[in-house]
């Protein structure tokens, strides 16, 4: 982070400087008192506990200043800036800092593929620019401002992931970030519990256009009718439709996939073979988003070819690991939606088996589906057939709907193993007893189901 003076802070958030401290600059920002470093700004947010309760801890860690909206008296020894709302002050400071650094901003949203697209985009743009990107799940009204404030002063491109659970959230993030490039990866069923329909989800994702700068670039899946049917006036923007068909502006050619990598070309340079260390056409689509972004910023496919082939994926997303008993684990436990789970299962089913090994799946509940949950879980059965997938392990109460659907379509009952959430250890034990040499195991569920514990237990 570029150092800011206390005067800068007061000006940025339109605050009242009610107490002065000994140090006149801040070089880092944190809302967790334990994350504060020397000369830091502490932002006391309201969570399960009031962040103001931790001001002494922040001071002990080296805080030089704090925002303050409490009636209590702050301790001496640091600058105190009174604000009406500490979260709003954090967001205002982020907007001020963004204007000071003034990078190109790439904003990414979508029901699935956001993080993979972000990681790919960061890799390909890094060949020509100093890039800073969202880390972890810092993609909301707190995390996005923190990502902005964490960027180095020489940042040239800032890549921001934007998440949501309801309407209006992406609009706020987009208007804060004022992106030069916006990407919608795909429309799925995530958060349908709160939004009611996929059409409403698409409408919420399209809020990302609200902050797009004039003459900015909008990249989106051209074959998604829920987007194309709701597009606003795009005359002020450049649009790039991406997809796997040649009717799109940027599309893939000659896709060749294996369990550990995929090769393809694009119409942007048909003789330049691109490679990603992932399998599946849905990951090609994510790569096309990244390549379209590179193209929009003036880079050629030949320039970014090696960077894409060697990009580093955020952990727990389509990650192959060595399993016990000489098995192989496809770890995709970070999150799950019906669309993403169907895509992963379809790709997993099409992979060539290893020797005499079997294909097994471990699937946990997908959350935030509301009244649609039972039908959406049952619908996953369309991607599971016997004997292509020979053993199915289901975890959680929502997966009972998938079990019933599999039985209805004739899947062998002895190959379906259901475990309630309280019996994770029993499922792990059953898996360990079942796994054989050369077996391939897919593990996927919503993150809060905790199937990363299963991966850790069956990993070699």
């Amino acid at each position: 982070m570029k150092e800011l003076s206390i005067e800068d802070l007061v000006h940025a958030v339109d605050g009242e400087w009610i107490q002065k401290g000994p140090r006149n600059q801040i070089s880092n920002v944190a809302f967790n008192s334990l994350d504060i470093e020397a000369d830091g700004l502490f932002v006391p947010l309201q969570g399960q506990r009031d962040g103001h309760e931790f001001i002494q801890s922040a001071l002990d860690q080296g805080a030089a200043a704090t925002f303050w909206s409490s009636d209590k008296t702050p301790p001496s020894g640091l600058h105190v800036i009174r604000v009406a709302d500490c979260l709003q002050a954090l967001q205002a400071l982020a907007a001020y800092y963004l204007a000071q650094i003034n990078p190109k901003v790439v904003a990414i949203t979508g029901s699935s593929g956001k993080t993979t697209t972000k990681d790919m985009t960061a890799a390909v743009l890094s060949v020509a620019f100093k890039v800073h990107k969202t880390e972890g799940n810092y993609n909301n009204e707190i995390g996005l401002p923190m990502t902005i404030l964490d960027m180095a002063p020489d940042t040239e491109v800032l890549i921001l992931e934007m998440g949501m659970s309801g309407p209006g959230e992406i609009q706020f993030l987009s208007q804060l970030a004022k992106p030069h490039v916006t990407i919608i990866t795909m429309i799925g069923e995530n958060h349908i519990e709160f939004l009611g329909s996929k059409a409403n989800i698409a409408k919420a994702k399209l809020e990302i256009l609200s902050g797009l700068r004039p003459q900015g670039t909008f990249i989106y899946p051209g074959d998604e009718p829920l987007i194309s049917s709701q597009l606003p006036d795009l005359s002020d923007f450049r649009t790039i439709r991406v997809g796997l068909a040649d009717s799109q502006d940027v599309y893939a050619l000659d896709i060749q996939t294996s369990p550990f990598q995929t090769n393809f070309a694009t119409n942007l340079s048909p003789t330049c073979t691109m490679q990603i260390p992932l399998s599946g056409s849905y990951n090609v689509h994510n790569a096309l988003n990244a390549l379209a972004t590179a193209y929009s910023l003036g880079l050629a496919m030949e320039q970014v070819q090696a960077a894409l082939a060697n990009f580093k994926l955020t952990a727990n997303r389509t990650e192959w690991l060595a399993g016990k008993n000489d098995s192989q684990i496809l770890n995709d436990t970070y999150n799950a939606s019906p669309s993403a789970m169907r895509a992963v299962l379809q790709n997993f089913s099409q992979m060539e088996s290893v020797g005499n090994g079997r294909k097994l799946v471990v699937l946990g509940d997908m959350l935030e589906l509301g009244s649609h949950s039972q039908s959406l879980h049952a619908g996953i059965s369309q991607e599971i057939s016997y004997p292509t997938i020979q053993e199915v392990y289901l975890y959680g109460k929502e997966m009972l709907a998938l079990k019933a659907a599999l039985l209805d379509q004739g899947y062998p009952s002895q190959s379906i193993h259901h475990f309630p959430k309280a019996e994770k250890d029993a499922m792990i034990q059953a898996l360990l007893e079942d796994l054989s040499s050369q077996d391939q195991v897919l593990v996927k569920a919503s993150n809060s189901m905790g199937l990363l514990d299963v991966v850790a237990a069956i990993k070699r």
Side-chain angles (χ1 to χ4, degrees):
M1 178 184 181
K2 174 185 176 182
E3 286 189 343
L4 297 175
S5 69
I6 304 303
E7 289 86 354
D8 289 334
L9 292 183
V10 176
H11 171 71
V13 304
D14 194 23
E16 180 185 1
W17 196 348
I18 64 173
Q19 177 177 295
K20 293 194 175 183
R23 290 167 287 178
N24 293 320
Q25 289 185 313
I26 63 112
S27 58
N28 62 95
V29 180
F31 58 87
N32 183 330
S33 63
L34 299 179
D35 292 336
I36 283 283
E37 299 175 2
D39 295 331
L41 167 69
F42 178 55
V43 183
L45 300 179
Q46 182 67 50
Q48 292 183 338
R49 293 177 64 181
D50 185 351
H52 292 85
E53 298 175 20
F54 300 93
I55 182 60
Q56 187 61 50
S57 171
L59 184 57
D60 294 343
Q61 290 286 117
T66 185
F67 292 148
W68 200 256
S69 61
S70 172
D71 294 332
K72 297 179 181 179
T73 302
S76 59
L78 78 172
H79 298 278
V80 179
I81 302 167
R82 181 171 291 285
V83 295
D85 182 283
C86 290
L87 175 57
Q88 291 177 8
L90 172 67
Q91 294 161 346
L93 179 60
Y96 172 85
Y97 186 71
L98 181 63
Q100 297 297 304
I101 306 303
N102 195 30
K104 294 282 188 181
V105 179
V106 178
I108 303 170
T109 193
S111 299
S112 184
K114 292 188 296 295
T115 301
T116 303
T117 296
K118 174 199 70 181
D119 291 339
M120 290 177 169
T121 302
V124 299
L125 296 186
S126 292
V127 304
F129 305 102
K130 176 67 181 293
V131 174
H132 182 70
K133 67 175 181 176
T134 300
E135 296 293 346
N137 60 352
Y138 269 39
N139 62 6
N140 60 11
E141 76 280 5
I142 298 172
L144 184 138
M146 291 298 298
T147 299
I148 292 172
L149 290 167
D150 192 43
M151 70 174 158
D154 59 348
T155 299
E156 296 173 299
V157 175
L158 174 64
I159 302 175
L160 296 173
E161 187 177 323
M162 295 183 177
M164 64 143 203
S165 58
E169 296 174 13
I170 290 179
Q171 178 179 349
F172 172 79
L173 298 177
S174 181
Q175 291 177 354
L176 171 61
K178 297 181 174 60
H180 300 78
V181 179
T182 58
I183 302 170
I184 296 178
T185 59
M186 60 92 69
I187 303 300
E189 301 86 355
N190 307 49
H191 314 302
I192 200 169
E193 176 181 7
F194 309 114
L195 289 158
S197 69
K198 285 183 68 174
N200 286 340
I201 292 170
K203 182 178 180 181
K205 298 298 184 185
L206 281 163
E207 291 173 6
I208 200 168
L209 293 173
S210 64
L212 181 60
R213 301 182 189 221
Q215 308 309 309
T217 300
F218 175 38
I219 299 168
Y220 67 99
D223 58 356
E224 176 52 79
L226 293 175
I227 292 179
S228 57
S229 64
Q230 300 188 72
L231 286 175
D233 179 13
L234 298 175
S235 57
D236 287 341
F237 310 128
R238 178 188 185 189
T239 61
I240 302 178
R241 299 168 301 136
V242 302
L244 303 183
D246 61 8
S247 57
Q248 308 307 319
D249 300 318
V250 174
Y251 58 89
L253 304 165
D254 192 24
I255 299 174
Q256 299 177 359
T257 188
S258 70
F260 303 105
Q261 71 180 45
T262 302
N263 295 336
F264 65 97
T266 74
N267 62 307
L268 297 175
S269 183
T271 61
C272 180
T273 299
M274 312 303 295
Q275 183 183 102
I276 53 175
L278 300 169
S279 63
S281 59
Y282 61 98
N283 281 315
V284 174
H285 203 292
N286 294 329
L288 291 174
N289 290 323
L291 295 175
T293 303
Y295 171 73
S296 75
L297 295 179
L299 302 184
M301 297 302 98
E302 290 77 6
Q303 283 179 273
V304 303
Q305 181 184 35
L308 182 63
N310 295 288
F311 93 98
K312 302 301 181 186
L313 184 66
T314 298
N316 304 323
R317 288 170 168 82
T318 53
E319 171 187 36
W320 281 101
L321 303 168
K324 290 185 176 178
N325 303 334
D326 294 320
S327 62
Q328 297 177 339
I329 305 167
L330 182 55
N331 173 22
D332 199 8
T333 54
Y334 185 82
N335 221 330
S337 67
S339 298
M341 189 171 282
R342 286 195 299 268
V344 171
L345 279 166
Q346 185 179 74
N347 183 61
F348 184 66
S349 297
Q350 293 171 350
M351 288 179 186
E352 185 175 345
S353 298
V354 179
N356 296 319
R358 304 166 298 161
K359 286 188 170 71
L360 297 79
V361 296
V362 183
L363 307 177
D365 288 352
M366 301 174 289
L367 306 181
E368 297 185 353
L369 300 179
S371 61
H372 303 267
S373 183
Q374 186 172 359
S375 61
L376 290 172
H377 279 82
I380 300 299
S381 64
Q382 299 168 13
E383 305 301 338
I384 301 174
S385 62
Y386 187 88
T388 302
I389 294 175
Q390 295 189 8
E391 300 290 334
V392 177
Y393 287 80
L394 304 175
Y395 179 63
K397 66 178 182 179
E398 301 300 324
M399 279 294 164
L400 286 169
L402 176 53
K403 178 182 178 180
L406 288 171
L407 291 172
D408 286 345
Q409 71 185 34
Y411 198 95
S413 59
Q414 67 271 20
S415 295
I416 305 174
H417 316 277
H418 180 267
F419 295 83
K421 199 170 182 181
E423 296 183 12
K424 186 190 295 181
D425 289 344
M427 182 172 70
I428 289 172
Q429 187 58 41
L431 271 167
L432 288 172
E433 294 173 0
D434 193 7
L435 286 179
S436 300
S437 176
Q438 299 182 323
D439 283 351
Q440 296 171 312
V441 189
L442 167 66
V443 186
K444 189 166 181 65
S446 286
N447 189 39
S448 60
M449 293 301 292
L451 287 195
L452 188 56
D453 294 340
V454 176
V455 173
I458 65 175
K459 186 169 65 174
R460 189 168 64 200

